[in-house]
Amino acid sequence: MSHNEPQKPLSNGRPSWDDYFMEITNVVARRSTCLRRHVGALLVRDRRILSTGYNGPPKGLAHCGELGGCYREKLRIPSGERQEICRAVHAEQNAIVQAAVHGVTLEDVTCYCTVQPCVTCAKMLINANVVRIVYEGGYPDEMALGMLAEAGVELVRYQPPEKRDNP
């Protein structure tokens, strides 16, 4: 399947490939330890999941829930700002790192994300040879959108079947 092939709902009740992978991405997000937002990511090539990731602290380190709360919340930092003041590694970053740890090449992959990538993740996804990103939730980062467009990465805003069927 070409990564540019449109995703059509199937008449036999089976989910489209985008529906299938986004459902799995939402399950992956449930592993997140972030107190603000649960995010999941999959890296897929030729209908095969190569790597998954969710947002949380580096392996072996305590998460915010174990440390008494979210530091960014305590400082009232809005979403999309001052990402360096966060213990969590983003879901997309963790998916890329997991692929690297296991020696998986990411040439011509699609990234499925529960949320639009931030600019840091966008730069990493571009450099990891991601050619298509399917995301569900928005994120306040116009720079990320601009860089992905400039790099020629196809960006698809996903609509769950229940929202497609009920306008």
Side-chain angles (χ1 to χ4, degrees), residues 13 29 52-53 59 66 70 74 95 104 134 139 144 147 150 159:
T52 68
K59 67 180 178 178
E66 297 170 327
C70 174
K74 289 176 184 175
V104 176
V134 179
Y139 190 75
M147 291 182 85
E150 183 180 347
Q159 285 283 327

Side-chain angles (χ1 to χ4, degrees), residues 70-123:
C70 174
Y71 189 57
R72 290 169 49 85
E73 283 292 321
K74 289 176 184 175
L75 295 176
R76 293 182 166 79
I77 297 172
S79 181
E81 296 180 17
R82 306 288 318 270
Q83 296 168 6
E84 73 279 7
I85 303 178
C86 180
R87 290 186 66 83
V89 178
H90 287 190
E92 303 93 324
Q93 295 167 3
N94 271 324
I96 291 167
V97 168
Q98 285 305 306
V101 165
H102 296 287
V104 176
T105 182
L106 298 179
E107 193 71 31
D108 295 329
V109 300
T110 294
C111 179
Y112 290 88
C113 307
T114 55
V115 177
Q116 174 203 310
C118 70
V119 69
T120 302
C121 290
K123 291 185 278 189

Side-chain angles (χ1 to χ4, degrees), residues 13-29:
R14 293 176 68 203
S16 71
W17 287 107
D18 280 353
D19 292 336
Y20 173 75
F21 289 123
M22 283 304 296
E23 189 169 331
I24 295 169
T25 303
N26 279 287
V27 171
V28 171

